[in-house]
Amino acid sequence: MPTALITGVTGQDGSYLADLLLEKGYTVIGMVRRTSTINFDRINHIQDKIEVVQGDLLDQMSLIGILHDYRPDEVYNLAAQSFVPTSFTQPVLTGEFTALGVTRMLEAIRIVDPQIRFYQASSSEMFGKVVEVPQRETTPFYPRSPYGVAKVYGHWITVNYRESYNIFGCSGILFNHESPRRGLEFVTHKITHTAARIKLGMAKELRLGNLEARRDWGYAGDYVRAMWLMLQQDEPDDYVVATGETHSVQEFVEEAFGYLDLDWRQYVVQDPRYYRPAEVDLLVGDPRKAAAKLKWEPSVDFRQLVRIMVDADLEQLRKGQHTPNNPLI
């Protein structure tokens, strides 16, 4: 029975990945930071099936200690300061977690057991001001936020440890992926949650920033499957994981509100406070390498994704719950 360590296990991707690995018979170790308000909502349904341990990407010795104690076969590094707007207001903290945290984990692997297979959560935000469309593994990076810059560092330090120390390190360059477990601060869940509240008479407006920004949106449950597949290959490599389709924020709004028989124009207000200092206008990935080598393809399309999220928000709101906590989705 293989053992996997997941950093960021309480997040959207971490919870879906834990579900997947448990189904495959893994022993799952979930690393969480010690804080006064740890949120286990996303893993409540599996908390008795995984072992939750305290560790911190800012603390090298805690990582070495966890690897030494649990001897995982695979490490999935999903922990990060992952909210792009926050990276502009807390750029140094973002760099510590999202960039240097990767180095600390890789160094811990090198010290404890270089045979551990390592997955690094790279991001389409690394492409930023894109130099070609669609973006593929060979597309040059041009990040437009401290978050994107930090992810570029994490990506290249993984390549460096792979080439310098022969560590089986893979980076998944994941494009935007959403679900009912997405944090409410992210625009997609903000849209579906507020649309559901408007439908139920609990809200009157939705304030958003740039409606023209275009993203390649997929389903998080599909994307964690690609993470696992990367670490099952004979050789480590980096892969773009995407749907190959791009949609604007406005299209996401139209689909969510239309599904609820609402006219979005009556409720959506563009607010300058939600514009980024440097915008990423167009992201669309080329997933052909992942399809060919990993035999991976998405199972949920754009319309299905939006409707899954809207339905989940309606269900939660009707139950009086205001956070995503549906393990069945």
Side-chain angles (χ1 to χ4, degrees), residues 257-284:
F257 278 76
Y259 182 47
L260 295 171
D261 296 318
L262 297 172
D263 182 355
W264 68 274
R265 296 176 186 84
Q266 296 181 17
Y267 305 101
V268 174
V269 178
Q270 284 192 273
D271 189 330
R273 290 179 301 171
Y274 297 110
Y275 281 80
R276 295 183 184 181
E279 184 57 85
V280 174
D281 298 311
L282 171 64
L283 291 175
V284 55

Side-chain angles (χ1 to χ4, degrees), residues 19-46:
D19 287 340
L20 176 71
L21 296 180
L22 287 172
E23 290 173 7
K24 294 185 177 297
Y26 278 67
T27 296
V28 176
I29 313 300
M31 191 182 91
V32 299
R33 296 185 67 216
R34 174 68 181 93
T35 67
S36 58
T37 56
I38 297 176
N39 185 348
F40 289 107
D41 282 352
R42 296 183 182 92
I43 60 170
N44 275 342
H45 63 292
I46 56 170

